[in-house]
């Protein structure tokens, strides 16, 4: 829901802050007081095209900030999460700034974002009834009818995708056969070369491991041979043993020499152990495979060459060979392969069509139910002669989609004997407002709107019982959705949960627009009386306003 709106330097507004409540809120005020400016400001922050004329005279920039509570609109967080934008808490803040030099900036929770993103987010947040109401678009009639009847298109979407994949395969196979000989020659050459290389699964990894071993093997082997040769040619053991024997001759005359002999003896033993381990390592260091480092390098080269040719990784070469052989076999099968694909495509098409026809019947039934509900809803709105029809027509095959085979469009007839026509083009402004309100009430019963619903002067030209009926339906909508209504109708104003009055303050050189909430019952009664009788409030108007408020309280 819309929690608050803050406006700075927009036309006749220098600074304004409004806190909104749940339920039905109405905005009233004399003509020209500035109610449309509030709607223009909200549209600006929701991504509407910027108009520099909105900047207040004498100001260099203007700004609008709207705060929305996302408590009942989790889809917004999901959508923004898909855009890598994380929303903490339940508040979403949209801020738009306009500058005299033509620049415009827009922020989402103080993060600069694109207008396109904000427009997408706005579709989750606000639904404004007016000339460009989304529900007037035929593509939205499809969505509305399915939502009304709880019709799921999940299965038909999957079946449609399967059919389209099979159809694509069939078309590609036909194209391949037309290109025929050149493709077959390419396949034959590729298969022969791949078979000559004969790639194995995970072969490159195995070869790289062997290459590293062989490179280390040569290095280690040379080191061991070098040490062995140094010990052998240097006669290290003989020298140590000779020194030991020489000292033995004088050890009895000098007891301290005994310690040197012990050290020499330990050195000889350590050397003998080292030489023994050295020989063990040399004997254990061997190559089990009959392959040289040059052969490994050559093999890796040929594998990578084939991978480059087929634009894949070397581990995928075995699967690539199977795919090429299968394609070649398909060529060899010729017409038989096309027949198999054609049969598969036809079967998947018929399966999709069966499910689409089931949905078609559900939509026809739902359309009849919607017609009956709308008919009842239009009676108190003084449109009992209006005929509402949901047209569910078969589309030609080329226009079938993952939603089915139907075209859905709402048609109406406003005069007896008149053939129903498209909703937008047949109804007049007043009729269209009432029909759209009835539609939204019915649709809201089956799937409550999570967006804030805004109705801009839908009561124009209406009064009495019709306006009261509209007020009751707005009140009904507001049970589960926040509803804002800009109105001149005292009957609608009487049904509000919150009542705001927009007014102008005139000084010598400028005009200022303000707004205040009527918290006291007597103030609401006074404003409704003004709406009934004008600037001069009569006793009769005061009494009528009091009665309207009492009657609305009993609804």
């Amino acid at each position: 829901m819309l929690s608050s709106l803050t406006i700075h330097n927009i036309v006749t507004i220098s600074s304004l802050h409004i806190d909104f409540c749940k339920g039905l809120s109405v905005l009233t005020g004399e003509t020209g007081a500035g109610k449309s400016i509030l709607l223009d400001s909200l549209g600006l922050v929701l991504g509407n095209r910027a108009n520099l004329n909105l900047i207040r005279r004498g100001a260099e920039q203007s700004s609008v900030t709207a705060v929305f509570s996302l408590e009942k609109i989790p889809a917004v967080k999901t959508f923004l999460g898909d855009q890598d934008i994380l929303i903490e808490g339940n508040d979403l803040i949209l801020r738009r700034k306009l500058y005299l030099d033509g620049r415009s900036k827009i922020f989402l929770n103080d993060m600069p974002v694109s207008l396109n993103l904000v427009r997408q987010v706005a579709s989750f947040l606000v639904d404004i009834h007016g000339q460009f109401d989304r529900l007037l678009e035929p593509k939205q009639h499809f969505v509305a009818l399915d939502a009304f009847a709880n019709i799921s298109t999940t299965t038909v979407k999957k079946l449609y995708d399967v059919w389209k994949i099979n159809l694509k395969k069939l078309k590609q196979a036909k194209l391949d056969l037309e290109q025929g000989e050149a493709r077959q020659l390419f396949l034959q050459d590729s298969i022969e070369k791949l078979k000559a290389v004969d790639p194995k699964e995970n072969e490159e990894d195995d070869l790289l491991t062997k290459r590293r071993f062989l490179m280390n093997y040569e290095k280690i082997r040379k080191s061991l041979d070098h040490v062995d040769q140094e010990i052998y040619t240097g006669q290290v053991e003989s020298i140590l043993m000779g020194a030991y024997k020489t000292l033995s001759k004088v050890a009895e005359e000098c007891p301290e020499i005994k310690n040197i002999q012990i050290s020499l003896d330990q050195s000889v033993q350590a050397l003998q152990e080292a030489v023994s381990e050295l020989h063990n390592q040399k004997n254990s260091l061997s190559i089990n495979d009959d392959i040289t480092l040059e052969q490994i390098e050559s093999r890796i080269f040929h594998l990578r060459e084939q991978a480059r040719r087929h634009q894949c990784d070397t581990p995928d070469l075995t699967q690539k060979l199977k795919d090429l052989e299968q394609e070649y076999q398909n060529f060899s099968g010729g017409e038989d392969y096309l027949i198999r694909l054609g049969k598969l495509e036809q079967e998947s098409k018929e399966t999709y069509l069966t499910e689409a026809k089931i949905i078609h019947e559900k939509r026809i039934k739902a359309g009849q139910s919607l017609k009956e509900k709308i008919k009842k809803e239009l009676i108190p709105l003084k449109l009992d002669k209006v005929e509402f029809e949901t047209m569910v027509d078969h589309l030609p095959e080329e226009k079938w989609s993952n939603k089915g085979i139907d075209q859905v469009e709402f048609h109406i007839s406003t005069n007896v004997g008149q053939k129903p026509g498209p909703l937008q083009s047949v109804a007049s402004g007043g009729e269209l407002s009432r029909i759209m309100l009835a539609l939204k009430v019915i649709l809201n019963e089956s799937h409550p709107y999570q967006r804030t619903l805004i109705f801009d002067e839908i009561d124009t030209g209406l009064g009495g019982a019709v306006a009261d009926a509209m007020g009751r339906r707005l009140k009904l909508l507001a049970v589960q959705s926040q509803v804002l209504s800009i109105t001149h109708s005292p009957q609608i104003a009487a049904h509000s949960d919150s009542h705001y009055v927009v007014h102008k303050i005139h000084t010598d050189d400028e005009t200022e627009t303000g707004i205040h909430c009527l918290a006291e019952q007597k103030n609401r009664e006074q404003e409704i009386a003004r709406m009934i009788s004008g600037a001069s409030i009569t006793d009769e108007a005061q009494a009528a306003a009091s009665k309207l408020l009492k009657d609305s309280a009993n609804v």
Side-chain angles (χ1 to χ4, degrees):
M1 61 169 275
L2 177 62
S3 301
S4 67
L5 186 66
T6 304
I7 305 169
H8 293 293
N9 294 326
I10 295 287
V11 194
T12 57
I13 299 174
S14 61
S15 183
L16 186 66
H17 177 83
I18 318 167
D19 289 314
F20 291 100
C21 303
K22 297 178 181 178
L24 172 61
S25 297
V26 298
L27 286 82
T28 65
E30 295 180 357
T31 301
K35 298 184 295 296
S36 61
I37 298 173
L38 297 176
L39 201 57
D40 288 341
S41 298
L42 181 60
L44 191 66
V45 82
L46 293 175
N48 286 357
R49 189 172 180 179
N51 183 350
L52 294 183
N53 292 329
L54 290 174
I55 299 177
R56 183 175 172 84
R57 182 168 57 88
E60 294 185 358
Q61 68 177 53
S62 61
S63 70
V64 181
T65 302
V67 180
F68 290 88
S69 170
L70 304 183
E71 186 177 353
K72 293 185 178 181
I73 323 176
V76 176
K77 287 189 177 183
T78 302
F79 170 76
L80 290 174
D82 292 339
Q83 315 301 315
D84 296 324
I85 298 175
L86 181 64
I87 301 296
E88 296 182 0
N90 284 322
D91 283 344
L92 177 70
I93 304 171
L94 295 176
R95 180 177 291 108
R96 183 83 177 272
K97 291 186 175 183
L98 296 183
Y99 299 87
L100 274 180
D101 60 8
R103 290 180 298 130
S104 169
K105 295 181 181 179
I106 195 158
F107 304 86
L108 188 153
N109 282 17
D110 291 326
M111 178 190 304
V113 290
S114 68
L115 272 177
N116 183 55
L117 177 68
V118 169
R119 287 168 185 152
Q120 293 180 73
V121 171
S123 67
F124 292 96
L125 301 174
V126 176
D127 183 4
I128 300 177
H129 171 74
Q131 182 181 359
F132 302 106
D133 195 313
R134 294 191 308 163
L135 199 53
L136 290 172
E137 302 172 13
K139 64 180 180 181
Q140 291 298 322
H141 301 175
F142 208 119
V143 176
L145 183 64
D146 282 2
F148 168 74
N150 283 315
I151 295 174
S152 172
T153 56
T154 302
T155 301
V156 81
K157 283 178 181 177
K158 291 178 180 178
L159 295 175
Y160 177 81
D161 290 341
V162 170
W163 170 45
K164 282 298 179 180
I165 288 171
N166 289 332
L167 183 60
K168 184 178 179 180
K169 285 181 178 178
L170 179 61
K171 289 180 178 179
Q172 186 60 49
K174 288 179 179 179
L175 182 62
D176 289 343
L177 279 176
E178 289 172 3
Q179 294 174 346
E181 187 176 350
R183 180 64 180 172
Q184 279 185 288
L185 289 174
F186 169 77
L187 289 172
Q188 187 175 11
D189 179 63
S190 297
I191 290 168
E192 287 175 358
K193 288 180 178 176
L194 263 177
K195 280 187 173 181
V197 172
D198 191 22
K200 302 292 189 300
E201 204 167 327
N202 299 321
E203 185 178 0
E204 185 180 26
D205 288 342
D206 293 340
L207 288 170
L208 290 172
T209 300
K210 286 178 181 178
R211 183 173 71 173
R212 284 193 298 271
F213 172 75
L214 282 177
M215 292 172 68
N216 289 331
Y217 170 82
E218 294 296 334
K219 190 186 300 183
I220 294 169
R221 185 79 186 185
K222 286 179 182 179
S223 296
L224 292 176
D225 286 343
H226 177 74
V227 172
D228 193 17
Q229 185 67 20
E230 287 290 318
I231 293 173
Y232 177 75
T233 57
Q235 297 181 339
V236 177
E237 185 178 355
S238 297
I239 293 171
L240 291 174
M241 289 297 294
Y244 181 86
K245 290 177 181 180
T246 301
L247 291 175
S248 296
K249 296 174 183 179
V250 295
E252 293 181 2
E253 283 75 17
C254 184
E256 288 81 1
I257 291 177
K258 194 68 176 176
N259 291 333
I260 299 175
Q261 278 187 296
I262 291 171
S263 296
L264 288 171
D265 184 49
Q266 290 174 344
S267 297
V268 170
Q269 291 180 29
L271 179 62
Q272 288 173 342
E273 290 175 3
V275 170
S276 176
E277 182 61 28
L278 182 65
H279 291 161
N280 289 338
Q281 288 295 328
K282 287 177 64 177
N283 292 332
S284 64
L285 193 67
S286 61
I287 300 175
N288 297 323
D289 295 326
D290 240 358
I291 187 168
T292 65
L293 188 60
E294 290 76 16
Q295 289 172 322
I296 288 176
E297 296 286 3
S298 176
R299 181 67 178 165
I300 292 174
F301 171 79
H302 288 301
L303 287 172
R304 290 179 175 175
E305 182 182 41
Q306 286 298 311
R308 283 193 299 272
R309 180 181 182 184
H310 295 289
Q311 297 181 340
C312 66
D313 296 324
T314 51
D316 300 327
L317 285 175
T318 51
Q319 184 59 47
K320 174 59 72 173
L321 178 57
K322 292 177 184 177
D323 293 343
L324 293 174
E325 287 176 329
Q326 180 62 53
E327 189 179 351
Y328 186 75
Q329 183 181 348
N330 294 340
F331 267 109
S332 302
E335 291 299 324
D336 290 339
Y337 177 61
L338 272 184
I339 291 172
R340 289 197 304 274
L341 277 182
K343 184 178 179 182
L344 186 63
E345 182 271 335
Q346 188 62 31
E347 288 174 352
S348 58
K349 174 183 174 182
E350 289 174 359
T351 305
Y352 158 76
L353 195 54
T354 299
E355 179 65 20
K357 286 179 178 178
I358 292 173
I359 291 178
H360 173 76
E361 294 302 322
K362 288 181 179 179
R363 285 174 178 148
I364 289 177
K365 186 177 179 180
Q368 184 61 33
S369 175
L370 182 61
K371 172 184 176 179
E372 293 169 2
K373 286 181 177 290
I374 291 292
K375 182 70 175 176
K376 291 179 182 178
E377 192 64 29
L378 290 176
I379 292 173
L381 294 173
K382 304 302 180 185
L383 291 175
D384 51 302
K385 303 300 183 184
V386 168
E387 291 296 327
F388 179 91
E389 297 286 348
T390 301
M391 311 301 293
V392 183
D393 299 319
H394 278 298
L395 288 168
E397 183 175 328
E398 63 271 15
K399 292 187 177 180
W400 292 355
S401 72
N402 58 8
K403 294 181 179 65
I405 57 175
D406 303 321
Q407 174 177 287
V408 176
E409 190 169 357
F410 297 150
H411 282 201
I412 61 163
S413 167
T414 56
N415 298 306
V416 177
Q418 180 186 37
K419 184 179 178 180
L423 176 64
Q424 188 174 12
S425 59
V426 172
S428 65
E431 291 169 332
L432 189 59
S433 293
R434 285 177 279 170
I435 292 167
M436 295 300 286
L437 178 58
L439 255 176
K440 289 181 179 181
V441 169
I442 296 300
L443 295 175
N444 197 55
E445 289 177 354
S446 54
H447 285 274
Y449 281 85
Q450 302 304 322
R451 300 184 296 273
T452 295
L453 303 176
I454 299 177
F455 295 88
D456 183 17
E457 299 188 0
I458 62 169
D459 55 281
T460 300
L462 304 175
V466 176
D468 181 65
M470 294 187 83
R472 289 170 185 265
R473 272 137 193 84
L474 289 173
K475 182 82 169 181
L476 182 62
L477 276 176
V479 172
Q480 299 186 65
S481 306
Q482 182 190 40
V483 177
L484 305 181
S485 176
I486 297 175
T487 182
H488 288 287
S489 166
Q491 290 86 354
I492 290 177
H495 285 286
S496 67
D497 298 301
S498 302
H499 190 152
Y500 300 85
V501 175
V502 182
H503 55 85
K504 277 186 179 180
I505 303 169
H506 298 283
T507 62
D508 292 338
D509 57 352
E510 64 180 15
T511 300
E512 179 76 26
T513 292
I515 187 170
H516 63 275
C517 181
L518 303 178
E520 300 291 333
Q521 182 78 356
K522 62 179 182 180
N523 293 334
R524 288 186 64 197
E525 186 176 302
Q526 193 77 3
E527 171 62 10
I528 292 173
R530 181 203 63 76
M531 296 171 72
I532 293 172
S533 64
S536 178
I537 299 175
T538 63
D539 292 340
E540 290 80 2
Q542 195 83 40
S546 177
K547 187 175 186 308
L548 282 176
L549 287 169
K550 287 179 182 178
D551 290 345
S552 66
N554 295 325
V555 173

